[in-house]
Amino acid sequence: MSQVPDGDGPVTENRAAENYDAVIVGAGLAGLYQLYLLRQLGLHARIIEAADGVGGTWFWNRYPGARCDVQSMSYSYSFSPELEQEWEWTEKYPTQPEILRYLNHVAERFDLTRDITLSTRVVSAQYDDATARWTLRTDTGSTMTAQFVIMATGCLSASKLPEIPGLERYRGRKHHTARWGKEEIRFDGLRVGVIGTGSSGIQSIPIIAEQAADLTVFQRTPNFSMPAGNRPLEPGEVAELKASYRGWREAQRTSRAGIPAPEATEFALAASPGERAARYQAAWEKGDLVSLGGCYVDILIDPAANETAAEFIRSKIRAVVHDPETAETLSPRTFPFGTKRPCLDTGYYATFNRPNVHLVDLRMTPLIEFTESGLRTSAAEYEFDAVVFATGFDAMTGALAAIDIRNGNGLSLSSVWTAGPRTYLGVAMAGFPNLFTITGPGSPSVLSNMVVSIEQHVEWISDLIAYLREHGYAAAEVTAEAEESWVTHVAEVGSLTLFPRANSWYMGANVPGKPRVFLPYIGGVGAFRQKCEEVAASGYEGFTLRRAGELAAV
Ligand SMILES: Cc1cc2nc3c(=O)[nH]c(=O)nc-3n(C[C@H](O)[C@H](O)[C@H](O)COP(=O)(O)OP(=O)(O)OC[C@H]3O[C@@H](n4cnc5c(N)ncnc54)[C@H](O)[C@@H]3O)c2cc1C
């Protein structure tokens, strides 16, 4: 079962510690840019990455159809105008191989590779109050110390398996979408089961259906999906955006979701049904994540307004799917539109018109167990040559929880977070000095074009480190009051919306036992940036800054 996530490897040897100014955990979009900026500050920094290549999400998620849902020219770094001009994106929405090529290019172009250790997983991080340094241990037995640790471990990197007994019993092929492996995997002539209809399932199912002899899709919760309208980029439009990139980047930074879009000013329920239908149709045809939800101000706030958008999408499903019962099973009814991550697809709903594709509604007939040859639900037994897990991630906290992070008193971050994650600005935690999380819980992160949010956090962390060095500080630690007030603010803003009504991974609901907390910050990318800038301008209000001589007093 090489494609499903494996646990931490054994600690095999003990070597002398290497000493750094900063260690960055993770070589995805966030880690690569963080290394670039820390080097510019003159820090001796190193990335430790579990994978055997850079790219993070785009290294791991190689399933068929894997593609970004933010347009390629926006889902790209803005820090280097030269890079922006050189790189040629080929499609409206970039494929996983194209983004991975881009990130490998970035690593080489900026000579980052020499400071990246691959195939090495950080298993623990322990802070020492007296020296203001962290000691990190890895699964290869190496140890390193660093003044600063930056967790660039990813919001969606800790993949999860379905909670179904007997997985080890099943003898057929098993593939997890987030651990796909580098070799091409095909399903020609096979009987295939796919578990999960989130974004990864919705992207891969149409392609697997074309190859497989027979495909059974196991769906627990149907999702709202909109057609991506993907297409090759025209040379003219690429040239036009390249010519105006600076203004576009600025618009991204001040926007709500890191994707420039007009702000809604009208209320859905104030419009006539005909006006609403016309506006939703125009948004639908744009083929993006933000237009439909952005049609009216009340869609994410008022359940009745939301229902008008939800019903519009359901009408589209009914128009495509021939069998009315299948169309109804595919129609989301248990959560408001937009409160689970909506998906963009290419031919998803039409796939269920194929004679070789079958849909199993797990709310009616739950999965009971794996058998040697397949899966058993409460109603039937299914035999498969291959099973695909499109079962997602322990989002936002999973990768951090997998590392034993302890402060100077031996207190673990996991124990502090038992009732839900607590951060200041999603970037730092009280009691854990000089430890930073890029797009951590409590920041816009997964509710935004993540490249925009990643760049903002990376630049902010770099500025803070530069400030500490310039002013002779050894350590920065968030105060308990600042953290408490931010946690309260994040929850309050979230509670003004419909998001808490959904059993979503935004709420931790996909992981049994995970506290039910709205994890990201919904206040908007632009407003969040402004708040972060104010904190920096005030000399880092909310942080206690300590000089070396003050450390022992902690
Ligand atoms: C299938 C999929 C589609 C997505 N589509 C979009 C999209 O359309 N738009 C969007 O904005 N975002 C999207 N995302 C979110 C995506 O994760 C971010 O856009 C971005 O790639 C995150 O970059 P990162 O560097 O923060 O994290 P990641 O890319 O997740 O990188 C984190 C890295 O840290 C490593 N790591 C974790 N723990 C350890 C450890 N203990 N030791 C060593 N290494 C470790 C991991 O191996 C990984 O390589 C998608 C995510 C997925 C999974």
Side-chain angles (χ1 to χ4, degrees):
M1 199 171 67
S2 60
Q3 281 84 13
V4 301
D6 20 63
D8 294 332
V11 173
T12 50
E13 48 178 305
N14 224 335
R15 300 192 288 269
E18 298 155 16
N19 303 313
Y20 298 98
D21 296 324
V23 167
I24 301 156
V25 187
L29 267 154
L32 293 177
Y33 184 37
Q34 188 68 77
L35 176 59
Y36 172 81
L37 277 193
L38 292 186
R39 256 203 211 155
Q40 301 231 318
L41 291 179
L43 266 74
H44 179 38
R46 187 151 200 96
I47 293 181
I48 309 298
E49 167 57 59
D52 68 8
V54 305
T57 287
W58 308 105
F59 173 93
W60 292 110
N61 291 265
R62 297 170 191 243
Y63 59 84
R67 197 183 279 280
C68 185
D69 286 344
V70 172
Q71 298 194 26
S72 53
M73 295 195 65
S74 293
Y75 189 84
S76 52
Y77 290 117
S78 72
F79 70 85
S80 164
E82 296 78 23
L83 173 66
E84 267 172 356
Q85 294 300 323
E86 282 163 19
W87 187 262
E88 297 293 339
W89 294 106
T90 63
E91 290 180 76
K92 176 182 173 188
Y93 291 109
T95 59
Q96 171 272 326
E98 188 165 20
I99 306 173
L100 187 58
R101 272 199 304 281
Y102 171 73
L103 293 174
N104 275 300
H105 170 74
V106 168
E108 280 160 32
R109 190 194 188 287
F110 297 102
D111 190 24
L112 301 175
T113 317
R114 66 185 156 90
D115 285 325
I116 302 175
T117 302
L118 296 172
S119 306
T120 305
R121 182 173 287 278
V122 171
V123 295
S124 70
Q126 167 78 57
Y127 187 69
D128 176 39
D129 284 323
T131 58
R133 288 185 75 78
W134 287 90
T135 300
L136 294 99
R137 292 178 205 287
T138 74
D139 65 352
T140 65
S142 59
T143 304
M144 58 212 77
T145 76
Q147 184 182 5
F148 303 105
V149 171
I150 296 142
M151 294 296 178
T153 43
C155 292
L156 299 171
S157 62
S159 57
K160 64 180 284 297
L161 291 166
E163 298 79 33
I164 309 163
L167 176 58
E168 65 296 336
R169 208 179 299 147
Y170 173 61
R171 295 264 173 83
R173 280 167 40 181
K174 301 169 204 163
H175 306 285
H176 194 294
T177 50
R179 293 291 182 273
W180 201 254
K182 291 179 187 168
E183 75 286 8
E184 190 193 4
I185 296 169
R186 291 195 59 90
F187 298 95
D188 303 276
L190 300 185
R191 297 162 304 167
V192 182
V194 174
I195 303 175
T197 53
S199 192
S200 306
I202 282 177
Q203 289 186 338
S204 58
I205 284 165
I207 297 172
I208 296 173
E210 283 171 13
Q211 299 173 5
D214 201 74
L215 170 64
T216 304
V217 175
F218 294 93
Q219 171 192 277
R220 186 167 58 183
T221 314
N223 256 301
F224 290 102
S225 188
M226 300 169 281
N230 190 42
R231 56 177 175 75
L233 285 171
E234 303 291 339
E237 65 183 320
V238 171
E240 199 180 320
L241 187 50
K242 282 192 173 180
S244 57
Y245 239 145
R246 300 276 51 80
W248 180 256
R249 297 305 196 185
E250 191 49 33
Q252 288 186 304
R253 290 185 192 113
T254 51
S255 67
R256 180 164 287 278
I259 302 169
E263 281 286 323
T265 52
E266 293 165 34
F267 288 80
L269 297 182
S272 71
E275 284 165 353
R276 274 199 307 263
R279 192 169 292 195
Y280 290 151
Q281 181 63 30
W284 181 261
E285 285 167 12
K286 282 194 185 160
D288 66 41
L289 277 183
V290 293
S291 290
L292 207 118
C295 280
Y296 294 105
V297 281
D298 46 354
I299 288 182
L300 284 174
I301 297 167
D302 180 342
N306 190 284
E307 178 57 20
T308 64
E311 185 48 30
F312 173 83
I313 301 181
R314 286 186 213 116
S315 74
K316 293 292 187 188
I317 298 171
R318 289 193 293 272
V320 171
V321 179
H322 300 156
D323 173 39
E325 204 179 312
T326 305
E328 181 53 30
T329 305
L330 288 166
S331 295
R333 293 200 182 269
T334 55
F335 61 94
F337 164 65
T339 59
K340 282 167 91 92
R341 167 77 153 71
C343 305
L344 292 183
D345 72 86
T346 302
Y348 176 65
Y349 293 117
T351 297
F352 291 90
N353 293 332
R354 295 176 65 105
N356 68 331
V357 176
H358 323 283
L359 182 64
V360 177
D361 183 352
L362 296 181
R363 288 168 307 179
M364 306 301 286
T365 57
L367 277 169
I368 303 294
E369 61 177 356
F370 279 93
T371 62
E372 276 197 8
S373 53
L375 280 159
R376 195 162 68 77
T377 68
S378 60
E381 201 162 324
Y382 300 85
E383 294 201 340
F384 296 121
D385 303 302
V387 175
V388 173
F389 306 112
T391 41
F393 303 89
D394 181 351
M396 301 201 72
T397 55
L400 293 167
I403 304 173
D404 185 13
I405 301 170
R406 288 181 189 266
N407 70 10
N409 298 324
L411 195 65
S412 74
L413 187 67
S414 293
S415 69
V416 177
W417 283 11
T418 44
R422 303 178 56 76
T423 72
Y424 183 45
L425 305 172
V427 80
M429 286 70 65
F432 294 83
N434 290 0
L435 174 71
F436 303 108
T437 48
I438 301 172
T439 63
S443 72
S445 56
V446 291
L447 296 176
S448 67
N449 171 354
M450 286 207 63
V451 187
V452 178
S453 291
I454 284 169
E455 286 195 328
Q456 186 265 332
H457 255 179
V458 168
E459 287 161 12
W460 195 88
I461 292 166
S462 307
D463 287 348
L464 170 56
I465 290 175
Y467 182 90
L468 297 176
R469 300 206 134 201
E470 272 164 32
H471 293 81
Y473 292 112
E477 181 183 349
V478 170
T479 65
E481 298 74 37
E483 183 182 83
E484 175 60 26
S485 118
W486 185 251
V487 169
T488 305
H489 174 64
V490 170
E492 274 172 3
V493 180
S495 70
L496 297 175
T497 72
L498 300 175
F499 278 91
R501 296 186 181 212
N503 286 326
S504 63
W505 54 258
Y506 295 142
M507 297 294 299
N510 64 326
V511 178
K514 194 165 170 174
R516 197 182 163 85
V517 172
F518 185 50
L519 296 165
Y521 177 56
I522 184 80
V525 163
F528 177 77
R529 171 181 294 269
Q530 198 181 332
K531 166 71 182 168
C532 291
E533 283 173 1
E534 284 164 14
V535 169
S538 70
Y540 296 95
E541 181 195 356
F543 282 86
T544 303
L545 309 181
R546 293 194 183 90
R547 296 180 197 285
E550 298 163 344
L551 292 174
V554 175

